[in-house]
């Protein structure tokens, strides 16, 4: 089998031979087999791409809003036409099962982009404030650094909001998922992005990523990934007073209150476990802690055993992205056992499979906030069950981690659920299931990040505000 090889990077809309020469081999996590190779950009390539973006932004005339939005609309249509290609590429790069790749990875990305376009169309970029005029202008050149877990969605969300706001983007995708990013680059060229408005460069985080975050000629860096790297990026950006926005990890709770009947309770557990295992648990917002009434602990254990058995690795549950990720998750499982968590389902001592990086769900019970599994983001199909003794205790447990990204509250009484949601320190709280308004903002409290994506707030991340004061008269 001949390997696909990508020897060019996209600098400002032109496929270009990079200055960097390192080659990186991509491994299909479903089989563990090598399937493609890319050449990696280096610091010099980042300089070239930033310069192209800088010229596009500085040497106007500006790309008008209506044209930007029309082009983003064409981009959405092109990606939709190419759904199969995007889905197959993501399946090969990060393992998502075909149906999930099409519906969630491609479909979800398009939903977010089209919502952003509609909101930008109506956005008051220029509005009166009494006798003054308040103008919202693009912040400038954006460096975007994205992860592998939602390779299209995270990149497209940043590009959509930034371009809607009027900012050119230099994108450094994750090492595992450059081909998805290159398909996006191709679609942007075909949609008619002008020269310099989008560059896409495969590269290593500590090389190309670090060079982009520290670049004195970018105006903002938008990052999604681990909390550790987020701190490094914030430090690099701070040295230049570059604006930054960080969407980081999570340890989000699904809290079930004590007023549900048996059917309602079973639904809540199914929903909670479902969004823990979403994308094989490789989801920043995943509800990885299920916080249930103490009196319902045994019911919970029985239910999760039954529900987890429906998730079959290699069928409806994709593998983990890489051998490295599999080993990281395995290490979290060992720590949970060492800390005395109760194994409720699955085998925490299972060995890495011969072929591919599959892992069946593992569920622990009686996980306390003192255990590492009560604190650490695992990023795999691993659930921690915790118990509470009432609403106040449930709130305390929900808030017992350094993170605050997502969460859910389930109750028969919706007002009571919302009262608990009000007390959870996180950027998103769902009520009685995963129902998402795409115009609503998303982002983290505490160690889950700084800033918001999606909707009006996602566009405002990329805007500077100017006050034009009323003319002074003599
Ligand atoms: P990571 O944070 O290292 O990678 C994310 C992006 O940052 C990639 O594009 C990477 O190349 C880049 N990067 C890495 N080091 C950099 C640096 N020094 N300067 C600039 N950019 C840099 O995440 P990784 O290693 O793939 O996964 C490790 C853990 O991070 C996961 O187990 C999970 O807990 C968490 N994670 C969270 C994500 C989220 O959506 N919040 C996404 C991916 C990972
Ligand atoms: Mg890393």
């Amino acid at each position: 089998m001949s390997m696909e090889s990508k020897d060019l990077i996209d600098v400002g809309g032109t496929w270009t031979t990079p200055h960097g020469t390192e080659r990186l081999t991509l491994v299909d996590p479903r089989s563990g087999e090598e399937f493609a190779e890319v050449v990696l950009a280096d610091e010099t390539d980042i300089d070239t791409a930033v310069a192209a973006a800088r010229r596009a932004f500085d040497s106007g005339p500006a790309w008008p809003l209506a044209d930007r939005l029309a082009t983003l609309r064409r981009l959405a249509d092109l990606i939709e036409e190419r759904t199969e290609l995007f889905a197959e590429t993501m399946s090969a790069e990060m393992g998502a099962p075909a149906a999930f790749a099409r519906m969630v990875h491609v479909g979800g990305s398009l939903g977010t982009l089209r919502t952003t376009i509609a909101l930008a169309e109506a956005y008051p970029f220029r509005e009166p404030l009494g006798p003054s005029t308040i103008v919202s202008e693009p912040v400038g050149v954006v460096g975007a650094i994205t992860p592998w877990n939602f390779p299209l969605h995270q990149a497209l969300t940043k590009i959509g909001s930034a371009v809607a706001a009027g900012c050119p983007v230099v994108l450094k995708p994750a090492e595992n998922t450059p081909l998805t990013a290159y398909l996006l680059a191709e679609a942007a060229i075909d949609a008619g992005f002008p020269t310099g408005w989008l560059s896409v460069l495969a590269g290593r985080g500590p090389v190309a990523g670090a060079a982009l975050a520290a670049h004195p000629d970018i105006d903002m860096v938008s990052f999604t990934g681990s909390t550790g790297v987020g701190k490094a990026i914030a430090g690099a950006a701070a040295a230049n007073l570059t604006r930054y926005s960080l969407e980081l990890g999570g340890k989000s709770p699904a809290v079930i209150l004590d007023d549900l009947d048996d059917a309602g309770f079973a639904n809540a557990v199914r929903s909670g476990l479902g969004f823990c295992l979403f994308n094989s648990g490789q989801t920043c917002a995943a509800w990885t802690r299920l916080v249930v009434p103490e009196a319902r602990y045994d019911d919970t254990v029985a239910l999760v055993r039954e529900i987890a058995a429906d998730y079959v690795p290699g069928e409806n549950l994709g593998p983990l992205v890489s051998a490295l990720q599999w080993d990281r998750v395995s290490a979290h499982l060992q720590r949970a056992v060492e800390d005395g968590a109760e194994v409720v389902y699955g085998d925490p001592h299972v060995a890495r499979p011969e072929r591919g990086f599959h892992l069946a769900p593992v569920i622990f019970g009686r996980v306390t906030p003192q255990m590492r599994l009560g604190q650490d983001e695992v990023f795999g199909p691993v659930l921690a069950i915790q118990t509470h003794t009432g609403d106040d205790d449930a709130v305390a447990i929900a808030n017992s981690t350094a993170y605050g990204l997502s969460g859910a509250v389930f109750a028969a009484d919706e007002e009571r659920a919302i009262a608990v949601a009000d007390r959870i320190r996180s950027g998103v709280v769902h009520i009685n299931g995963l129902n998402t308004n795409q115009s609503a903002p998303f982002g983290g409290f505490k160690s889950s990040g700084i800033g918001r994506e999606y909707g009006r707030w996602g566009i405002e991340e990329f805007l500077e505000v100017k006050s034009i004061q009323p003319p002074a008269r003599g």
Side-chain angles (χ1 to χ4, degrees), residues 117-124:
I117 295 168
L119 289 166
E121 200 151 42
Y123 190 82

Side-chain angles (χ1 to χ4, degrees), residues 9-28:
I9 57 174
D10 170 14
V11 177
T14 304
W15 293 106
T16 309
T17 302
H19 177 268
T21 54
E22 185 187 351
R23 303 185 76 82
L24 180 72
T25 304
L26 304 184
V27 173
D28 184 331

Side-chain angles (χ1 to χ4, degrees), residues 46-59 138-144 162 166-171 196-199 212 215-222 242-243 462:
I46 293 291
D47 281 344
T48 311
V50 170
R54 200 69 264 167
R55 277 194 302 278
F57 187 76
D58 292 339
S59 65
V139 66
V141 170
V142 171
C167 302
V169 177
V170 175
L171 171 69
W197 278 79
L198 178 65
S199 293
L212 183 56
H215 207 293
D217 295 335
I218 66 168
D219 300 292
M220 165 151 177
V221 55
S222 174
T242 298
R243 191 198 291 190
F462 300 101

Side-chain angles (χ1 to χ4, degrees), residues 144-150 154 172-177 203-214 221 223-230 232-233 236 247-250 282-285 321-322 324-325 328-329 332 376-380 403 405 442 448:
I145 300 175
T146 51
W148 43 263
N149 57 332
F150 289 93
Q154 311 302 48
K172 205 298 286 173
E175 287 85 332
N176 305 78
T177 54
R204 290 200 184 276
V207 181
L212 183 56
V221 55
F223 172 73
T224 300
S226 62
T227 297
V229 172
I233 284 174
E247 200 268 272
L248 309 175
Q282 301 169 129
T283 304
C284 49
V321 70
S322 63
L324 173 66
Q325 191 63 19
R328 280 180 185 149
V329 171
H332 283 289
D376 298 343
E377 180 175 59
V378 174
F379 240 58
Y403 293 113
L405 190 54
F442 176 81
S448 290

Side-chain angles (χ1 to χ4, degrees), residues 331-457:
H332 283 289
L333 297 177
Q334 309 320 308
R335 291 196 278 272
V337 172
E338 281 168 28
D339 289 355
E342 196 172 290
V343 181
V344 159
Y345 181 86
D347 178 8
H349 302 296
V350 65
R352 173 138 57 82
E354 295 277 307
R355 265 180 66 80
F357 314 127
H358 295 280
L359 180 66
V362 181
I363 300 175
F364 291 94
R366 305 242 169 256
V367 176
T368 67
Q370 288 70 41
M371 293 178 186
R372 285 167 289 183
L373 190 66
Q375 296 297 331
D376 298 343
E377 180 175 59
V378 174
F379 240 58
V382 180
L383 178 72
I385 302 172
Q386 303 184 299
T387 59
H388 69 80
T389 56
D391 293 10
D392 290 348
D393 192 38
V395 167
I397 291 169
N399 290 333
S400 68
T401 78
Y403 293 113
L405 190 54
S406 175
V409 182
F410 295 84
D413 177 350
E414 272 176 23
E415 275 176 34
R416 188 173 157 202
I418 290 169
V420 168
D422 280 344
R423 298 167 67 192
I424 295 180
R425 302 269 303 155
S426 80
V428 181
V429 186
H430 290 82
I431 304 295
N432 285 336
L434 192 72
N435 186 26
T436 300
N437 172 357
Q438 295 212 319
S439 299
F442 176 81
F445 282 36
K446 306 194 287 185
S447 290
S448 290
I450 291 177
R452 291 294 178 270
E453 297 197 279
Y454 308 171
R456 158 161 84 72
W457 296 265

Side-chain angles (χ1 to χ4, degrees), residues 78 110 458:
L78 285 172
L110 294 175

Side-chain angles (χ1 to χ4, degrees), residues 71-302:
T71 305
L72 287 174
R73 233 175 251 117
R74 279 197 299 278
L75 175 63
D77 294 344
L78 285 172
I79 293 170
E80 188 164 27
E81 278 171 28
R82 300 173 191 178
T83 292
E84 208 49 45
L85 184 57
F86 273 95
E88 280 168 13
T89 302
M90 282 187 273
S91 293
E93 286 189 312
M94 49 71 71
F100 190 86
R102 280 191 296 267
M103 276 172 46
V104 176
H105 284 278
V106 183
S109 301
L110 294 175
T112 304
L113 176 58
R114 287 178 171 138
T115 303
T116 296
I117 295 168
L119 289 166
E121 200 151 42
Y123 190 82
F125 288 99
R126 212 178 172 88
E127 57 181 338
L129 179 74
S132 305
T133 302
I134 308 302
V135 188
S136 294
E137 298 182 1
V139 66
V141 170
V142 171
I145 300 175
T146 51
W148 43 263
N149 57 332
F150 289 93
L152 178 60
H153 188 268
Q154 311 302 48
L156 196 54
T157 296
K158 293 186 193 309
I159 292 166
S161 301
V163 168
C167 302
V169 177
V170 175
L171 171 69
K172 205 298 286 173
E175 287 85 332
N176 305 78
T177 54
L179 300 180
T180 303
Y182 284 146
L183 288 179
L184 175 53
E186 216 164 84
I189 292 170
D190 294 347
F193 271 54
T195 301
W197 278 79
L198 178 65
S199 293
V200 179
L201 306 85
R204 290 200 184 276
V207 181
L212 183 56
H215 207 293
D217 295 335
I218 66 168
D219 300 292
M220 165 151 177
V221 55
S222 174
F223 172 73
T224 300
S226 62
T227 297
V229 172
K231 288 178 182 172
I233 284 174
N240 300 319
L241 285 182
T242 298
R243 191 198 291 190
Y244 54 84
S245 101
L246 310 170
E247 200 268 272
L248 309 175
K251 188 80 198 180
S252 299
V255 176
I256 307 182
L257 303 184
D258 66 10
D259 64 347
L260 286 162
D261 62 16
D262 286 349
F265 187 75
N267 273 339
V269 171
R270 181 173 299 278
S271 172
L273 180 55
F275 199 56
C276 174
L277 301 179
F278 192 77
N279 206 38
S280 305
Q282 301 169 129
T283 304
C284 49
W287 303 335
T288 53
R289 295 182 293 136
L290 187 62
V291 185
V292 301
E294 176 58 46
R296 292 273 205 175
Y297 180 71
D298 292 341
D299 295 347
T300 306
V301 168

